[in-house]
Amino acid sequence: MAGNEAGGTWTAPLPVRRVERSPYAALPDDQWPLTIPAVGQVMREGLDLGAATILVGENGMGKSTLIEAVAMAYGLSQEGGSTGARHSTRETESALHQDLRLVRGAGASRWGYFLRAETMHGLFSYLEDHPSGSGADPSGRRSEPDFHRLSHGESFIGMLQTRRFDGEGFFVMDEPEAGLSFSAQLSLVASLAEAVAEPGRQVLVATHSPIVASLPGARILQLDETGIHETAWEDLDVVDHYRRYLDGPERYLRHLFG
């Protein structure tokens, strides 16, 4: 039984208990992306994951770099998709995934799915061209919405309601709030909370949204120019900024317009 899962004690092991440097790692410490403080810290110290882990931080702090590398090390497509998927249009990812070792829970599910906002359109086209698997019934006919006919927000929430996200597995999301309204972000949080309430399900999310970061029971990690810091939701920089802005937008706007 895994011992440090966020949100409670589970009867099934987590798919990924820890992320650490592979003994066969080849990237030098003075080469990008290891020069990003958060990435360098993971390579030096490793990173323990709970049932729900949220990465928060400004652009350029390494959230997407780490999320992408962990997903690929698990066997997920860099542009989104399931374990073993081969969906790829242009290779722009770093080689970091090759230098990572994932410590898996003994007997845990090896299923997973990766969703990233910036490549959702391409993923939906790929699924449309390859309707077999969880997107189709045994006859090969489509058994899910035509995602291209939905708004970005509707398609994202609709994806979470397919069979791909049923059962145990490792579910990775990069900035899932993109294109989601306030209420849709709340629906996303509800879906994630429902997912990790079941033994053997695990989520790893990178976000700029204080709403998504409020996922109950999640371990929240703030990435900045000094590395990775476990942080309470109410102490996050993004939460503080949103509160201050909503309380008095002019205090921010006057710096933009002089």
Side-chain angles (χ1 to χ4, degrees):
M1 180 182 297
N4 67 339
E5 295 86 339
T9 300
W10 307 113
T11 57
L14 296 178
V16 180
R17 294 170 39 232
R18 180 174 171 80
V19 180
E20 59 189 25
R21 185 178 195 137
S22 165
Y24 306 105
L27 286 171
D29 292 339
D30 61 353
Q31 179 177 314
W32 186 89
L34 272 64
T35 52
I36 301 174
V39 176
Q41 182 176 336
V42 171
M43 297 301 276
R44 292 190 308 272
E45 304 173 9
L47 178 64
D48 293 320
L49 301 183
T53 305
I54 308 289
L55 306 186
V56 183
E58 290 288 343
N59 292 326
M61 293 298 105
K63 300 186 309 301
S64 293
T65 300
L66 284 171
I67 284 278
E68 174 187 85
V70 172
M72 294 181 68
Y74 190 80
L76 303 172
S77 168
Q78 67 270 27
E79 294 186 29
S82 64
T83 309
R86 294 295 178 264
H87 167 54
S88 178
T89 57
R90 181 181 178 186
E91 294 187 4
T92 59
E93 68 281 354
S94 73
L96 179 61
H97 63 285
Q98 300 174 0
D99 282 12
L100 293 180
R101 176 170 64 182
L102 305 186
V103 180
R104 302 177 183 244
S109 171
R110 302 185 76 84
W111 170 256
Y113 214 89
F114 184 24
L115 290 179
R116 58 189 319 175
E118 63 183 356
T119 58
M120 289 290 287
H121 184 276
L123 175 61
F124 292 151
S125 295
Y126 174 82
L127 296 176
E128 189 175 79
D129 293 338
H130 302 80
S132 60
S134 58
D137 63 24
S139 68
R141 294 174 298 183
R142 180 174 296 279
S143 60
E144 61 189 16
D146 182 349
F147 292 113
H148 280 309
R149 293 184 177 273
L150 303 176
S151 71
H152 179 89
E154 290 174 326
S155 63
F156 197 100
I157 296 299
M159 174 66 80
L160 296 180
Q161 296 171 346
T162 68
R163 286 176 287 171
R164 298 174 180 85
F165 291 84
D166 289 342
E168 299 178 10
F170 184 49
F171 305 109
V172 186
M173 300 180 191
D174 186 18
E175 300 183 7
E177 72 276 7
L180 298 186
S181 68
F182 178 83
S183 59
Q185 289 187 55
L186 291 178
S187 296
L188 171 62
V189 171
S191 296
L192 294 177
E194 181 179 0
V196 297
E198 296 295 329
R201 293 190 189 182
Q202 184 177 23
V203 298
L204 174 63
V205 181
T207 185
H208 290 287
S209 168
I211 299 171
V212 176
S214 69
L215 176 64
R219 183 186 186 203
I220 304 174
L221 302 176
Q222 183 161 273
L223 283 62
D224 61 24
E225 62 279 354
T226 65
I228 302 176
H229 313 278
E230 187 163 2
T231 308
W233 180 84
E234 60 270 17
D235 295 328
L236 287 170
D237 290 343
V238 68
V239 171
D240 180 60
H241 284 308
Y242 267 79
R243 282 175 169 164
R244 290 173 180 269
Y245 185 86
L246 293 174
D247 185 54
E250 68 281 352
R251 288 181 294 182
Y252 284 79
L253 295 176
R254 68 170 177 254
H255 295 293
L256 298 179
F257 305 113

